[in-house]
């Protein structure tokens, strides 16, 4: 059931990526090739799928949503490319394949990230949604990706190399680093569908809980996961002396917290009108994943 | 005359930067500090000034333009920060001061660039201009900064390290790397002021000529300039075996080409209705600069 749902929506997203992803002149296409490489490296498309499911719930038109879904995936991808660079996490592998800078060189990878971020706004602007809703959705996309969202989370993450965080600080960082783009997905799906403020607020809270749970499960999988399934080495957190929910609370308690957060997310869904069963399926999928 | 004009408009821009530049939580303010450092490193504010002058010519409201003027300067600044990184030009100095990554570290500089780019769209969105004009101006901002604009120019520039360009390829690169953001300035000034398509097209051509002349003068100053005035070392082009208009045509011919382009730009201004004398002053200033 969830597999079919994921496959269908992943297919929709991938088709939209092909449709909306910028072509460019051969003379400077190296950066587009590098960007496309990372964008099609086998991502799960969780953010686009979440946006499309919330839009469906709120009666939105899929064709108006897809450009924003692609834009959000482009922003997610740019953040991974820049995160993998030697001056950041220095990761040679991403999803079991060479990361962008290993394959194309650091300079091209840097510019590929810049391109994905810049062009994401162009792709979003292709949406034929109502102008005012589109302007609001653009600003949510920007805010969740920016200094008070994902980038702020990355900055906190860097600061933790110098001073280990307590649980509250770690939680704030996860909410920004991972929760912010999931929030963008849920919120934008609602906004472009003309949903009311109450729905948008619940969608945001749902996504924050889910994002936090998602990141805690990453912490758990870094200890218990299977490298072949994950497509990346395990044990890197402990190797880098990273503070995680597992180091702070232990494996069992971390699992409990992730389950609590997911339960809370599922309870929030029940407060929404309409059939949220697909979103609930996705939520369960995210909690029970082994990759 | 030009000095007073530049000072007045630079002041307006700097005030708008203070007003619109994002504040953020202390916990992750490192990236905002780094971004602000580079944004206030003594840039000439040519792009914002050009946008404001075109808006004035077209009867636009300055308050509606300033957010876009700041956004464009933020995009220009992000491109300098990323360009200075070790994996790109590896420049330790910028405007006579340590470049962003020297002062704040490579990771923070990378994220400061990402922040400036992301938040530039948020600042632009604060404009109270008509929604449709704003959406169009946002897309012009994105296009000129993106794969078919500034970034495409940077990619071509990188490719020239492997194969020296001929004059036509070098010209195309300059038009993108420098011309694109100047075009954005002129075009957006017109668009937000409700100018007609003919005016927008002339403004774009004017800015392309000016951008190309500007870049050729950079080539000339790298040979004839004064390091103390320029705030950066001279001779770096020849040290890096770069093909420039000076290496292709010689110093005198390069100067002639820059003068021709500027004359052409000034002639384009004459085709516009209204008083273009301030824009003409700025154009002369750009040609006759020694820094």
């Amino acid at each position: 059931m969830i597999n079919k749902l994921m496959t269908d929506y992943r297919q929709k997203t991938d088709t939209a990526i092909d449709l909306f992803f910028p072509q460019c002149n051969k003379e400077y296409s190296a950066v587009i090739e590098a960007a496309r490489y990372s964008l099609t490296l086998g991502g799960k498309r969780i953010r686009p799928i979440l946006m499309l499911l919330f839009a469906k719930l709120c009666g939105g038109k899929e064709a108006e949503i897809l450009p924003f879904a692609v834009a959000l995936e482009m922003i997610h991808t740019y953040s991974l490319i820049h995160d993998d660079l030697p001056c950041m996490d220095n990761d040679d592998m991403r999803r079991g394949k060479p990361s962008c800078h290993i394959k194309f060189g650091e300079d091209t990878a840097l510019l590929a990230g810049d391109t994905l971020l810049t062009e994401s706004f162009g792709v979003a602007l292709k949406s034929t949604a109502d102008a005012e809703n589109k302007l609001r959705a653009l600003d949510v996309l920007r805010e969740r990706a920016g200094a008070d969202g994902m980038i702020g989370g990355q900055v906190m993450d860097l600061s933790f190399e110098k001073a280990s965080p307590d649980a509250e600080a770690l939680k704030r960082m996860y909410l920004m680093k991972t929760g912010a783009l999931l929030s963008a997905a849920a919120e934008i799906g609602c906004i472009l569908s003309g949903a009311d403020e109450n729905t948008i607020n619940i969608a945001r809270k749902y996504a924050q809980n889910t994002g936090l749970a998602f990141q805690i499960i990453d912490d758990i999988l870094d200890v218990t996961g299977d490298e072949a399934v994950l497509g990346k080495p395990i044990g890197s957190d402990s190797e880098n002396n990273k503070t995680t929910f597992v180091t702070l609370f232990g494996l069992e308690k971390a699992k409990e917290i992730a389950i609590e957060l997911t339960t809370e997310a599922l309870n929030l869904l029940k407060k929404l009108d309409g059939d949220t069963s697909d979103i609930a399926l996705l939520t369960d999928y995210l909690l029970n994943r082994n990759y």
Side-chain angles (χ1 to χ4, degrees), chain A:
Chain A
M1 183 95 173
I2 178 64
N3 286 337
K4 171 151 174 41
L5 181 80
M6 292 291 289
T7 307
D8 286 354
Y9 276 89
R10 206 178 281 149
Q11 185 58 49
K12 275 182 216 259
T13 305
D14 289 348
T15 305
I17 286 175
D18 276 344
L19 184 64
F20 290 111
F21 191 72
Q23 304 294 325
C24 86
N25 188 304
K26 276 211 177 326
E27 200 162 30
Y28 45 90
S29 62
V31 76
I32 292 289
E33 273 172 46
R36 186 186 283 276
Y37 169 80
S38 290
L39 191 57
T40 55
L41 210 53
K44 294 185 280 292
R45 312 298 189 212
I46 289 163
R47 291 153 197 82
I49 293 172
L50 193 60
M51 191 188 292
L52 291 168
L53 291 179
F54 268 98
K56 189 179 173 198
L57 176 72
C58 300
K61 291 181 194 140
E62 203 166 83
E64 294 180 357
I65 317 296
L66 278 167
F68 273 88
V70 174
L72 183 58
E73 190 71 2
M74 289 168 74
I75 288 178
H76 173 57
T77 304
Y78 114 77
S79 78
L80 300 179
I81 295 176
H82 281 188
D83 242 11
D84 286 343
L85 284 171
C87 70
M88 296 285 290
D89 291 350
N90 195 17
D91 277 326
D92 289 357
M93 300 292 279
R94 167 68 62 182
R95 295 180 175 135
K97 306 230 174 76
S99 43
C100 193
H101 66 277
I102 296 293
K103 180 123 179 138
F104 296 94
E106 270 185 67
D107 45 10
T108 301
L110 173 69
L111 292 176
D114 292 345
T115 301
L116 283 163
L117 174 54
T118 308
E119 298 294 339
S120 72
F121 288 95
V123 171
L125 278 164
K126 287 191 202 293
S127 166
T128 53
D130 163 79
E132 290 298 339
N133 286 343
K134 209 157 80 172
L135 285 166
R136 180 172 173 188
L138 279 172
D139 207 34
V140 168
L141 188 64
R142 183 276 312 169
E143 188 169 356
R144 301 293 168 250
D148 284 321
M150 181 182 69
I151 295 177
Q154 289 168 311
V155 176
M156 282 185 77
D157 197 9
L158 289 177
S159 76
F160 294 168
E161 288 171 13
K162 288 168 201 149
S164 294
D166 59 18
E168 278 309 305
L170 188 62
K171 181 180 158 184
R172 284 196 298 279
M173 187 274 270
Y174 283 174
L175 278 173
M176 293 170 76
K177 195 173 168 179
T178 307
L181 286 200
L182 288 175
S183 290
E187 289 172 272
I188 291 171
C190 296
I191 289 167
L192 291 176
S193 311
D196 59 39
E197 295 304 319
N198 184 48
T199 301
I200 297 169
N201 286 332
I202 293 173
R204 184 188 312 114
K205 282 179 198 153
Y206 156 82
Q208 286 169 341
N209 277 282
T210 305
L212 190 50
F214 187 90
Q215 196 62 50
I216 294 171
I217 292 161
D218 254 16
D219 290 350
I220 295 167
L221 288 173
D222 193 67
V223 178
T224 66
D226 179 331
E227 294 198 5
V229 180
L230 279 170
K232 61 179 177 186
I234 68 161
S236 67
D237 290 341
S238 105
E239 206 171 291
N240 298 320
N241 285 316
K242 272 208 164 182
T243 304
T244 72
F245 269 69
V246 175
T247 66
L248 285 172
F249 295 103
L251 205 51
E252 286 314 307
K253 179 72 182 164
K255 281 183 189 171
E256 263 173 45
I257 296 171
I259 291 169
E260 268 167 38
L261 286 163
T262 307
T263 308
E264 174 66 18
L266 292 171
N267 285 337
L268 283 161
L269 289 181
K270 287 177 195 150
K271 294 187 183 175
L272 294 170
D273 291 333
D275 179 5
T276 57
S277 59
D278 283 351
I279 305 176
L281 274 175
L282 178 68
T283 317
D284 282 328
Y285 166 83
L286 293 176
L287 177 68
N288 294 314
R289 73 198 161 96
N290 58 357
Y291 63 94

